[in-house]
Amino acid sequence: MACVVQKFGGTSVGNADRIKHVAERVVRTADEGRSVCVVVSAMGNATDELIELAARVSTRPHPRELDMLLTAGERIAMALLSMAIAELGREAISFTGSQAGILTDTAHGRARITEVRAHRVEEALQQGKIAIVAGFQGVSPEAHVTTLGRGGSDTTAVALAATLVAEACEIYTDVEGVYTADPRIVPLARKLNVLSHVEMLELSAAGARVLMVRAVEYARNYGIPIHVRSSFTDAPGTWVKKETETMEKAIISGIAHDSSEAKVTITGVPDRPGIAAQLFRTLATEGINVDMIVQNVASEGNTDISFTVPRGDLDSAEPVIDAVAKQIGARKVATDPDVAKISLVGAGMRTHPGVAAQMFETLAEAGINIEIISTSSIRISCVVRGDKIERAVRAVHDAFRLSEEFILEEVPSTSARDTG
Amino acid sequence: MACVVQKFGGTSVGNADRIKHVAERVVRTADEGRSVCVVVSAMGNATDELIELAARVSTRPHPRELDMLLTAGERIAMALLSMAIAELGREAISFTGSQAGILTDTAHGRARITEVRAHRVEEALQQGKIAIVAGFQGVSPEAHVTTLGRGGSDTTAVALAATLVAEACEIYTDVEGVYTADPRIVPLARKLNVLSHVEMLELSAAGARVLMVRAVEYARNYGIPIHVRSSFTDAPGTWVKKETETMEKAIISGIAHDSSEAKVTITGVPDRPGIAAQLFRTLATEGINVDMIVQNVASEGNTDISFTVPRGDLDSAEPVIDAVAKQIGARKVATDPDVAKISLVGAGMRTHPGVAAQMFETLAEAGINIEIISTSSIRISCVVRGDKIERAVRAVHDAFRLSEEFILEEVPSTSARDTG
C-alpha cells in the first residue's frame, strides 16, 4: 500500500480543536487507501513554556535534563492526536522518538539522526493502524533521550519517509507553501509550485524558515519528495523534489532574507597558509556557528576576512575572536550587529549570466549599499544595513518580476556579465 | 552507604519555587552522607489538566494513549527537579519509569508492578549521583508505557525502596503525618508517631487518603519502613512499620471515613451455594470495584446482600446489577448514593472486647443510624447517612479519647461484649 508521512507543526496542533481538525485530515488520507505515518511537534508554545520553566529552576540547565523536559511536549501532542483519530473510528498508536527507533548521536539539544529502526511503526502500519510519532526527539546509544534542535520535527518526518519508502513527506504548516519571498514583506510574492532540493537547501540556508536545512539535506540524500502545504486549507502547496529534465526552468526560484546575524570583520590578517583554518577551527571548537565567510585577495601581505555569526552568539564569540585575532597577528576586529542578508536563489542562474549584475544594480538603484557579497552556483547573497532589508527584498523581487508565473529562459534586461 | 528513597507529591513540586525547595531538602539529605533516590509526581494539577485535554479531543480516550499522555506530567517534574539539584552543585540524573526498570502488567491506567530492574538507578547512585525517578509510571512487556493509577507514585517509591534495600521510604506530602482522624473534621485530631503496616492498610482501605493501599501492601510485603512527613517542615511525621513487641500498644490507631461510595442492596436472594460468587464475578468482569460486602443469615430460603461501590461507578453498575439480580432470581435491587462510611482501626482491639459496642453506642447517642456493619480483626466499619458522617467521626473520636496520647490497655467504659 502506498505510504505517506504527514508532519504537523506546533501551530497546527495548537489546541484541542486544531488537533481534531488534524485528525480529520489524517483520517481522510487513510480513507483514500494510503497508510499514514504522522509526525507531530509540541502544541503551540509548549516548548517555549517548558524552556521558561527550566530557566526558573536553573541558570544553565543540564542538556540531558533539558531534553528530558522538552520531549514531554511532543508526547502530549501525539497522545492527544492519537485519541482524536480513534474518536473518528480509526485505530491509531503513538510512539516516542525512542519507540519509533529514531537513533541519534549524543549531542543533546542538537542531536543528529544516525539510524532509523522503525520496526514498531512498520508493524503498526501493516496492521492498518495510523502511526503517530513524536517529532524532534530520539535516543542516544546510552539510552538517553535526545532532541534534534529547532525544526527537528521536519527531519524526523523526512527520515521516517525515507525508512518507510513513503511516496511523499507532507509538511503541514501555517503558510501555504514556499514563496518567492516572505509575503509579509512582499505582498505580491508568489507561491512556488515546485522547486528542487538544492534550491530549497539554498533558500533554507539563506534564512527561509518554512523548512529547516537538515530536513532538506536529508530529503535530498534519500530523494524524498517533500510537499509543503497549509494545514488550514486543502490547496496544493509547494513540491520540493529531485531536479529533473522536465522541471520548470525558472531562472530564479525566490528570495530569502535573514536578519538574525551579525557581521565580524578582521582586518590586517597576515596572508599565510593556515591562518583561516586556525581562526575558524577555534570558533568551531567553541561552538560558534559561522555562516557566510568572505576573504578578499591579499594586498601588501595582508588580507581582510569577514564572516557572519548568529547575533545571539556575538557576545560569547567576541572574546574568542579577539584572542585568536591577536594570536594570528591581525590588526583589528570590528563587529556589527545591525546587518541583514538578502539571497537570490535559482537553479537556472547557473546557465544565465547577468543575474548577479542585475541584483547589484537593483540594490544600487534603491540606494542600498552592499557590504559583503558571497555566491554559490545557484545563489547570490548580499549583506546590507539591517534597516534596509525589507526595501532590498521588495526591490529585487520587483526587478526579477517574481510575482509573474514562469520566468523561463529569459533574463531581465542587462548586458553585464555575471560577476558571481 | 545508607540509601533512602524520598517521594514528593504534586503539591510539593507544584511550582518552580517549590521544586527549588525540594531540591534543597534532597541535597541536605545527600550531604548527610546518604545516597538518595527521589520519586516525583506531576506538578500540582498537571495530571488533571492533561485528563481535561484528553476529554476535549475524545469521549473515551484509549487507555494506552491516555497513559502516554499522562506520563508527560512526571517527566516534566523530574527533569526540573534534576536541574534544580544540579543548580545546587550536586549531580543528578532523571529516569522515566521505563528507564528506572519499573516493569508492570498490561493494565493501562491501573497497572501493577511485576518487577523492578533498577540497574540504571543503582549505577547512578553508585556514581554518587542523586537519582530522580518518575513516579506513577512503568512499562509493559510489550514496551508500552503504563500508569499505576492514582497514588501510584507512592507505590513506585516503596518498590524502589525494596529494590535498593533502602533504610526507609520517606513520603513527603502536604500534611504532617497520619492523624487519628481527618483534622479538617476533628480539629483536635492527633498526629500518630508510629503505626503498623496492617493498621495503615486498614486505614487506607477505609478511606484515609494519606497513603494508598497498594503502596502500604507493598511495604508490608517487603518490610519497608515508611515515614510520612510534611514537605514544608522538618518535623518528624508518622512511621509506618512492622509490628513489633515493643510497639506502643494503642487499642485504637485512628478513624478513617469515606464519602465516595454508594450502597447497593439486593433483597430476596435465593439462598443457594454459588449465588454470591455469580453476582460478584459478574461485577468483577465488568470492572466494577466492590468494597464492603455484607450478607445476613438466610430466613425462609432467602437472604439479602448489601455492598458498596464507588459512587462514580453506580450509573454503569446499575444495569449490570439489575441483569444479574434477575438471573439469580432475586426480588429487588435498591441503590442509595447518599451514604458514607466510618471506620475505627487499631491492632489493639483484637484483644479488647467492647470496642465495637462502644462505637455503636456512641453513634446511637449521637442520633446516627447504622445501616451496614462490617468488621475485620482490627477494624470496625459502619455505613451511615452521608450528611451525618462528620458528626459521626467527631463523636467516635471523642468517645475513644483519641486526642490524648497513648490509650494503653484501657477501654472506655462499656460492659457490652464486642459484637464484631
Side-chain angles (χ1 to χ4, degrees):
Chain A
M1 201 191 313
C3 171
V4 64
V5 173
Q6 300 188 319
K7 180 256 170 181
F8 294 90
T11 315
S12 307
V13 294
N15 58 42
D17 284 338
R18 289 196 180 164
I19 288 173
K20 287 198 249 182
H21 182 81
V22 167
E24 282 164 20
R25 183 183 283 276
V26 170
V27 167
R28 210 156 58 227
T29 309
D31 285 347
E32 287 165 5
R34 286 187 284 176
S35 66
V36 188
C37 173
V38 182
V39 174
V40 284
S41 303
M43 291 171 70
N45 300 320
T47 303
D48 290 332
E49 284 165 18
L50 290 172
I51 289 173
E52 202 190 302
L53 259 180
R56 284 170 58 194
V57 300
S58 173
T59 49
R60 203 169 174 177
H62 191 290
R64 178 194 183 278
E65 299 301 325
L66 194 57
D67 280 357
M68 188 65 101
L69 179 73
L70 297 184
T71 47
E74 299 82 44
R75 191 183 194 86
I76 291 170
M78 76 184 190
L80 290 172
L81 179 57
S82 180
M83 291 174 195
I85 289 172
E87 188 73 6
L88 299 175
R90 273 273 179 179
E91 266 200 286
I93 180 167
S94 67
F95 298 103
T96 63
S98 170
Q99 289 176 336
I102 308 289
L103 310 189
T104 73
D105 60 20
T106 60
H108 286 288
R110 50 186 169 84
R112 294 188 80 93
I113 296 175
T114 52
E115 200 183 334
V116 179
R117 293 191 194 152
H119 318 304
R120 292 180 73 174
V121 173
E122 283 164 358
E123 197 186 329
L125 295 177
Q126 271 154 23
Q127 292 167 351
K129 294 178 186 166
I130 293 169
I132 321 287
V133 176
F136 176 68
Q137 53 180 250
V139 64
S140 76
E142 294 87 29
H144 293 304
V145 170
T146 53
T147 66
L148 312 179
R150 288 274 160 176
S153 295
D154 289 355
T155 312
T156 304
V158 172
L160 279 168
T163 303
L164 301 173
V165 198
E167 55 180 25
C169 179
E170 299 184 340
I171 305 281
Y172 287 87
T173 176
D174 50 359
V175 294
E176 295 194 7
V178 182
Y179 280 76
T180 50
D182 186 336
R184 285 168 301 186
I185 292 180
V186 184
L188 284 178
R190 180 172 50 86
K191 190 184 75 190
L192 295 161
N193 294 321
V194 63
L195 73 172
S196 68
H197 286 127
V198 178
E199 288 169 306
M200 190 67 235
L201 208 50
E202 289 280 8
L203 282 172
S204 291
R209 300 190 178 278
V210 64
L211 276 179
M212 299 307 281
V213 174
R214 278 167 56 194
V216 183
E217 222 167 35
Y218 210 111
R220 186 187 57 174
N221 293 345
Y222 289 86
I224 306 297
I226 297 179
H227 188 185
V228 180
R229 54 193 301 194
S230 166
S231 50
F232 305 114
T233 75
D234 282 334
T238 302
W239 281 92
V240 180
K241 49 188 185 182
K242 265 192 239 181
E243 201 169 3
T244 62
E245 282 306 311
T246 57
M247 197 175 261
E248 63 184 84
K249 287 285 193 302
I251 296 165
I252 307 298
S253 301
I255 298 170
H257 70 280
D258 188 348
S259 300
S260 70
E261 298 190 331
K263 184 182 72 168
V264 179
T265 304
I266 309 181
T267 46
V269 178
D271 187 25
R272 286 197 314 267
I275 287 286
Q278 192 179 341
L279 170 63
F280 292 106
R281 166 57 56 206
T282 308
L283 291 173
T285 307
E286 295 290 322
I288 295 156
N289 228 334
V290 172
D291 178 25
M292 259 174 121
I293 300 175
V294 177
Q295 180 186 332
N296 254 346
V297 289
S299 67
E300 295 167 21
N302 280 329
T303 184
D304 302 340
I305 297 179
S306 286
F307 54 92
T308 58
V309 297
R311 191 176 299 124
D313 289 358
L314 191 56
D315 280 351
S316 56
E318 279 200 80
V320 178
I321 298 167
D322 284 342
V324 75
K326 207 166 184 179
Q327 234 171 47
I328 60 179
R331 196 176 332 122
K332 201 182 134 202
V333 175
T335 62
D336 183 349
D338 300 323
V339 296
K341 184 176 67 180
I342 173 173
S343 302
L344 194 60
V345 172
M349 72 169 72
R350 269 196 288 247
T351 50
H352 286 81
V355 171
Q358 171 73 17
M359 181 175 178
F360 304 153
E361 280 168 17
T362 304
L363 291 174
E365 280 160 21
I368 297 163
N369 191 40
I370 300 172
E371 306 188 9
I372 303 183
I373 297 170
S374 157
T375 65
S376 80
S377 67
I378 66 164
R379 177 187 48 79
I380 306 160
S381 299
C382 300
V383 170
V384 300
R385 283 292 87 199
D387 57 5
K388 298 267 174 37
I389 189 67
E390 298 201 2
R391 202 202 304 172
V393 171
R394 278 190 289 264
V396 175
H397 198 271
D398 273 3
F400 285 91
R401 304 206 304 263
L402 295 182
S403 309
E404 299 167 22
E405 285 286 337
F406 304 156
I407 304 172
L408 296 174
E409 306 298 327
E410 182 202 346
V411 191
S413 62
T414 171
S415 57
R417 295 283 301 170
D418 190 339
T419 60
Chain B
M1 202 191 314
C3 170
V4 64
V5 172
Q6 300 189 319
K7 180 256 169 179
F8 294 90
T11 316
S12 307
V13 294
N15 59 41
D17 283 338
R18 289 194 180 164
I19 288 173
K20 288 199 246 181
H21 181 82
V22 167
E24 283 164 20
R25 183 183 283 274
V26 170
V27 168
R28 211 155 60 226
T29 309
D31 285 347
E32 288 164 4
R34 286 188 283 176
S35 67
V36 188
C37 172
V38 182
V39 174
V40 285
S41 302
M43 291 170 73
N45 300 321
T47 303
D48 290 332
E49 284 166 17
L50 290 172
I51 289 173
E52 202 190 302
L53 259 180
R56 285 170 57 193
V57 300
S58 173
T59 49
R60 204 173 174 174
H62 192 289
R64 179 195 182 275
E65 299 302 325
L66 194 56
D67 280 358
M68 188 65 100
L69 179 72
L70 297 184
T71 47
E74 299 81 43
R75 191 184 194 86
I76 292 170
M78 77 183 191
L80 290 172
L81 180 57
S82 180
M83 291 174 193
I85 290 172
E87 189 72 9
L88 299 174
R90 274 270 180 181
E91 265 200 285
I93 179 165
S94 67
F95 298 104
T96 63
S98 169
Q99 290 177 334
I102 309 289
L103 310 189
T104 72
D105 60 21
T106 60
H108 285 288
R110 51 187 169 85
R112 295 188 79 94
I113 296 175
T114 52
E115 199 185 336
V116 179
R117 292 191 196 153
H119 318 305
R120 292 180 73 174
V121 173
E122 283 164 358
E123 196 187 329
L125 295 178
Q126 272 155 21
Q127 292 167 350
K129 293 177 186 167
I130 293 169
I132 320 288
V133 176
F136 176 69
Q137 53 180 251
V139 63
S140 76
E142 293 86 32
H144 294 303
V145 170
T146 53
T147 67
L148 312 179
R150 287 272 159 176
S153 294
D154 290 354
T155 312
T156 304
V158 172
L160 278 168
T163 303
L164 301 173
V165 198
E167 54 180 24
C169 178
E170 299 185 339
I171 306 281
Y172 287 87
T173 175
D174 50 358
V175 295
E176 296 194 3
V178 183
Y179 280 76
T180 51
D182 186 336
R184 285 168 301 187
I185 292 180
V186 184
L188 284 177
R190 181 171 51 85
K191 189 183 76 191
L192 296 162
N193 295 321
V194 64
L195 74 171
S196 69
H197 286 126
V198 179
E199 288 169 305
M200 190 67 235
L201 208 50
E202 289 280 8
L203 281 171
S204 292
R209 301 192 177 275
V210 64
L211 276 179
M212 299 307 279
V213 173
R214 277 166 55 194
V216 183
E217 223 167 35
Y218 210 110
R220 186 186 58 173
N221 292 346
Y222 289 87
I224 306 297
I226 297 179
H227 188 186
V228 181
R229 54 192 305 192
S230 165
S231 51
F232 304 115
T233 75
D234 282 332
T238 302
W239 281 92
V240 180
K241 49 189 187 183
K242 264 191 235 181
E243 199 169 4
T244 62
E245 282 307 311
T246 59
M247 198 175 260
E248 62 185 85
K249 285 286 193 304
I251 296 165
I252 308 299
S253 300
I255 298 170
H257 71 280
D258 188 347
S259 301
S260 69
E261 298 190 330
K263 185 182 71 168
V264 179
T265 304
I266 309 181
T267 47
V269 178
D271 187 25
R272 286 197 315 268
I275 288 286
Q278 193 179 340
L279 171 63
F280 292 107
R281 165 59 55 207
T282 308
L283 290 173
T285 307
E286 295 290 323
I288 294 155
N289 228 334
V290 173
D291 178 26
M292 259 173 122
I293 300 175
V294 177
Q295 180 186 333
N296 254 346
V297 289
S299 67
E300 297 167 20
N302 279 330
T303 184
D304 301 341
I305 297 179
S306 286
F307 54 90
T308 59
V309 296
R311 190 176 301 123
D313 288 358
L314 192 55
D315 280 353
S316 56
E318 278 198 81
V320 179
I321 297 167
D322 284 342
V324 73
K326 207 167 184 178
Q327 233 171 48
I328 60 178
R331 195 175 334 123
K332 199 183 135 202
V333 176
T335 62
D336 183 349
D338 300 323
V339 295
K341 184 177 66 180
I342 173 173
S343 302
L344 193 60
V345 172
M349 72 169 71
R350 269 195 288 248
T351 51
H352 286 83
V355 170
Q358 172 72 19
M359 180 173 178
F360 304 153
E361 279 168 17
T362 303
L363 291 173
E365 279 160 22
I368 297 163
N369 190 43
I370 301 172
E371 307 188 8
I372 303 183
I373 298 171
S374 157
T375 65
S376 80
S377 66
I378 66 163
R379 176 186 49 80
I380 306 160
S381 299
C382 300
V383 169
V384 300
R385 283 290 90 198
D387 57 4
K388 297 269 174 38
I389 189 68
E390 298 202 1
R391 204 202 302 171
V393 171
R394 278 190 288 265
V396 175
H397 198 271
D398 273 2
F400 285 91
R401 304 208 304 265
L402 295 182
S403 308
E404 299 167 21
E405 284 287 337
F406 304 157
I407 305 172
L408 296 174
E409 306 299 327
E410 184 203 342
V411 191
S413 62
T414 171
S415 57
R417 296 281 304 169
D418 191 336
T419 60

